[in-house]
Amino acid sequence: MIRFNNVSKTYPGGFLALKQVSFTIAPGEMAFLTGHSGAGKSTLLKLMSMMEKPSVGSIEINGTELSSIKYQQIPYVRRGIGMIFQNHNLLMDRTVFDNVALPLIIEGYSHKETRKRVEGALEKVHLSSKLKCFPYMLSGGEQQRVGIARAIVNKPPILLADEPTGNLDPKLSLDIIRLFEDFNDMGVSVLIATHDLGLIARMKYRTLTLKQGHMITDGIVDGLQTLGDVDGN
Amino acid sequence: METNHTRQSKSQLAWTGRVTAYFIRHLQQAIGSLGDLWRTPFTSVMTVLVLGISLTLPATLHLFVKNTQTVTEQWNSASEITLFLKLSTSDKSAQNFVQRVQLYPEVDNVVYISAEQALSEFKLISGFGQALEYLDNNPLPATVLVTPMKRFSQVQAARELLVKLEKEREVDQGKLDLEWLTRLEAMSELIEDIVLGIALLLCLSVVLIIGNTIRLAILNQKDAIAVMKLVGATDSFIQRPFLYAGIWYGVLGGLIAGICVAILANYFSIALVQLTDLYQSQFVLAGLSFAEFLFLQLIAIALGLLGSFISVRQHIRAIEPTAD
């Protein structure tokens, strides 16, 4: 579960990136996060992944209050969040297997269990044949799926995706979103930050919209035109 | 604090499986860090050589001190106590005294030189033979040369024996010529202090060099470290390969130092054999013993580990993941 309670974030220099944002993503819920550049999407994701600390308010992830968390506790909370990035954040000098296995190695899983889980995760993203490949040998879509496999391999209760379809064609984008739906069906909470208003309109999931740091809508957005209005286009 | 998810996933892992996995991961990280050194041969070789050569100097100086001590011990053991008997001591009393001294447990050998023998020897050596003929009485005392047993030939023990012998009624004065030995010992101690000082400075430089090498390795893997942190790696997990790298630097640097010391000892030994042959001496230069070699290895490993530890503590925490 993700809970934001009156969260504000001011960066050094006085820039107010988020203003009193409150929302809750329940266990097993799937939602989109949208807004134009500078709306505060990245700040919100950074707060959830503990790259930043809130200036005001409280954030709760999987039952842990983040504002009072100690540095040493951060990795353990992060293990409960699968994070997917637009630029994939893969280790280029390691094989697909090693990249996907990383969270399991960190958590101390046995070699046998690691292999089983990695193979299972890669099968879900249809990359079983690329086990021994290095990321630079894969296409952008394949790299994105490796990132997804790494995010889900340790079965986290939350998935956060930052522009997961940003560089992909519409068909691949839809395939990726279908994957998220599959994980969501298994009870994983999914929050996808995206600019792709068409995708949001097609999927009809709850959408959190940010504008200049404010949460301006929270609900199922009906139709592309409505989203366009929200985005100010 | 761990999340419910973490606790749940951890409980899923069998205890023995986790322990085995822990050691396997350590082994993998240790071997992996050796592989990282292999992949950056120039930096690795340079660091190992710097460490090895830095340790070679104090280790070689230690050998010098050790061999000097061996030599001075040999000289110590040849030390003699000279006892000048009172002029009033008769020849018979002197013989009795010699017999008594020979019974001392500390004494190895006693040589008695009567006053007459001493005078005739002096006549021969001094060249005042005829002049001495005009003396009414022999001014020289009878002399006893005492050689202590080996275990009583050290400076302190020999001094104690001298004091004991001087208390004998026949003895007028005793003499133990140890001044030069005391000076030699003082010089040896000074060299030891210098060696210690140089060793400490070189050890400090080794720590700094390894720390800097590890710092560069950390910065080189900054992106990978950020990704690891994002997927839940603790600092201790991330720093482990770098600590192993420090240990490998120590192991290899220690080996280089050991080899260099052996080569230098062999080189000096050849020169010393030529020198000692001239003095018909049997001195053999001692190299590092196995225990000393192990100690050198331990020191090298400890320095490597310390350098890398300081570096990882300072730099790994500073690397934070970004969303870019």
Side-chain angles (χ1 to χ4, degrees):
Chain A
M1 189 186 68
I2 305 166
R3 178 176 288 145
F4 271 56
N5 188 20
N6 281 322
V7 174
S8 295
K9 174 65 185 176
T10 309
Y11 283 106
F15 174 65
L16 192 59
L18 278 183
K19 294 161 196 167
Q20 294 188 312
V21 171
S22 296
F23 68 90
T24 301
I25 307 279
E29 192 180 356
M30 180 156 161
F32 286 105
L33 174 67
T34 191
H36 56 73
S37 296
K41 294 195 306 294
S42 295
T43 301
L44 198 135
L45 290 176
K46 280 180 186 174
L47 289 169
M48 276 191 260
S49 53
M50 286 149 286
M51 293 181 213
E52 297 286 352
K53 280 195 166 186
S55 308
V56 182
S58 64
I59 302 169
E60 194 186 314
I61 300 274
N62 294 329
T64 305
E65 171 57 52
L66 300 190
S67 49
S68 58
I69 200 169
K70 285 182 184 165
Y71 175 81
Q72 290 85 349
Q73 296 163 344
I74 290 174
Y76 298 100
V77 182
R78 279 186 180 145
R79 289 176 194 179
I81 308 170
M83 282 179 256
I84 298 146
F85 307 91
Q86 186 177 4
N87 64 358
H88 324 306
N89 269 339
L90 299 177
L91 305 178
M92 291 296 163
D93 59 343
R94 299 194 193 186
T95 62
V96 165
F97 180 92
D98 290 337
N99 267 283
V100 178
L102 192 58
L104 303 175
I105 292 168
I106 287 166
E107 283 199 53
Y109 280 77
S110 68
H111 187 71
K112 192 179 164 188
E113 183 69 12
T114 301
R115 176 159 282 280
K116 192 178 141 193
R117 286 200 180 206
V118 171
E119 284 172 354
L122 286 173
E123 200 179 308
K124 277 196 182 76
V125 297
H126 310 295
L127 282 177
S128 298
S129 59
K130 308 284 184 181
L131 208 69
K132 291 176 183 170
C133 292
F134 285 88
Y136 60 81
M137 298 158 79
L138 306 177
S139 67
E142 286 172 330
Q143 287 188 20
Q144 186 63 286
R145 281 186 279 155
V146 174
I148 293 170
R150 188 182 63 192
I152 53 112
V153 75
N154 61 340
K155 300 178 183 170
I158 294 173
L159 268 184
L160 296 181
D162 187 11
E163 301 287 357
T165 59
N167 298 325
L168 307 178
D169 62 51
K171 190 190 172 301
L172 266 176
S173 299
L174 202 62
D175 287 348
I176 297 289
I177 297 299
R178 295 283 177 231
L179 264 175
F180 288 133
E181 283 182 319
D182 289 346
F183 301 132
N184 181 237
D185 289 342
M186 291 179 221
V188 178
S189 304
V190 182
L191 181 65
I192 304 166
T194 182
H195 273 111
D196 193 345
L197 301 180
L199 188 74
I200 294 171
R202 280 200 300 278
M203 303 312 292
K204 296 201 188 315
Y205 281 105
R206 179 185 169 195
T207 302
L208 311 171
T209 312
L210 287 170
K211 190 174 183 181
Q212 292 177 340
H214 290 282
M215 180 82 75
I216 55 166
T217 66
D218 181 357
I220 295 171
V221 178
D222 190 18
L224 195 59
Q225 186 55 48
T226 318
L227 273 167
D229 294 342
V230 163
D231 201 36
N233 296 326
Chain B
M1 187 199 307
E2 294 180 22
T3 62
N4 293 333
H5 160 75
T6 313
R7 276 193 290 272
Q8 194 185 342
S9 63
K10 279 193 171 177
S11 65
Q12 287 168 357
L13 301 170
W15 184 82
T16 48
R18 284 187 60 208
V19 171
T20 312
Y22 175 81
F23 285 109
I24 288 172
R25 295 299 176 213
H26 264 272
L27 189 65
Q28 284 175 334
Q29 285 184 310
I31 294 167
S33 64
L34 191 60
D36 288 340
L37 300 193
W38 185 257
R39 276 187 286 277
T40 51
F42 184 74
T43 312
S44 304
V45 167
M46 289 299 278
T47 308
V48 167
L49 283 179
V50 166
L51 199 155
I53 291 165
S54 297
L55 288 176
T56 300
L57 184 60
T60 310
L61 287 171
H62 162 76
L63 268 194
F64 174 74
V65 170
K66 187 174 96 168
N67 281 284
T68 307
Q69 282 170 346
T70 310
V71 170
T72 55
E73 273 169 21
Q74 284 173 5
W75 287 338
N76 265 338
S77 61
S79 66
E80 271 183 347
I81 295 171
T82 308
L83 298 173
F84 300 106
L85 304 188
K86 287 174 183 165
L87 287 172
S88 56
T89 308
S90 66
D91 207 40
K92 196 181 171 189
S93 302
Q95 293 290 354
N96 284 337
F97 170 67
V98 167
Q99 281 172 2
R100 278 206 321 274
V101 172
Q102 269 173 338
L103 296 174
Y104 275 45
E106 301 96 327
V107 173
D108 184 30
N109 189 33
V110 182
V111 175
Y112 173 63
I113 301 166
S114 66
E116 287 73 29
Q117 279 177 299
L119 184 64
S120 19
E121 204 173 312
F122 186 67
K123 278 178 183 171
L124 275 174
I125 297 166
S126 65
F128 297 121
Q130 283 192 327
L132 290 168
E133 293 289 341
Y134 294 103
L135 292 172
D136 293 335
N137 299 312
N138 181 357
L140 298 177
T143 308
V144 177
L145 301 176
V146 178
T147 308
M149 299 286 277
K150 195 168 182 181
R151 63 198 166 100
F152 293 100
S153 63
Q154 301 300 311
V155 175
Q156 191 53 35
R159 276 204 180 110
E160 284 168 13
L161 180 60
L162 173 66
V163 170
K164 195 172 167 184
L165 288 168
E166 277 181 328
K167 284 178 185 165
E168 294 285 351
R169 63 178 180 277
E170 294 87 350
V171 177
D172 182 28
Q173 193 186 349
K175 196 179 169 195
L176 179 65
D177 189 12
L178 284 172
E179 232 173 64
W180 67 278
L181 273 178
T182 312
R183 280 183 199 144
L184 193 66
E185 269 192 2
M187 276 177 66
S188 177
E189 279 169 18
L190 177 68
I191 291 167
E192 267 186 77
D193 289 345
I194 292 168
V195 168
L196 189 65
I198 291 171
L200 285 174
L201 281 174
L202 287 170
C203 287
L204 181 66
S205 68
V206 163
V207 168
L208 294 175
I209 288 163
I210 288 181
N212 192 49
T213 307
I214 297 291
R215 182 184 71 87
L216 292 174
I218 290 170
L219 293 179
N220 203 30
Q221 294 190 43
K222 199 178 167 185
D223 294 340
I225 290 169
V227 171
M228 282 192 216
K229 283 194 172 187
L230 266 182
V231 296
T234 56
D235 281 7
S236 56
F237 178 87
I238 296 167
Q239 71 195 25
R240 223 178 281 155
F242 298 106
L243 293 177
Y244 277 120
I247 291 174
W248 286 125
Y249 280 134
V251 169
L252 298 172
L255 277 174
I256 295 283
I259 292 166
C260 285
V261 171
I263 291 169
L264 283 172
N266 190 47
Y267 175 73
F268 292 143
S269 178
I270 293 164
L272 266 173
V273 165
Q274 289 170 345
L275 182 71
T276 52
D277 277 354
L278 294 174
Y279 290 90
Q280 280 122 29
S281 169
Q282 292 292 310
F283 177 72
V284 178
L285 187 78
L288 285 181
S289 66
F290 183 65
E292 284 169 328
F293 175 74
L294 281 184
F295 184 69
L296 182 66
Q297 281 293 317
L298 279 177
I299 291 282
I301 290 169
L303 292 175
L305 192 57
L306 181 66
S308 57
F309 181 76
I310 290 168
S311 199
V312 295
R313 291 295 286 181
Q314 199 180 348
H315 298 291
I316 284 185
R317 188 163 180 164
I319 297 172
E320 276 302 314
T322 59
D324 304 325

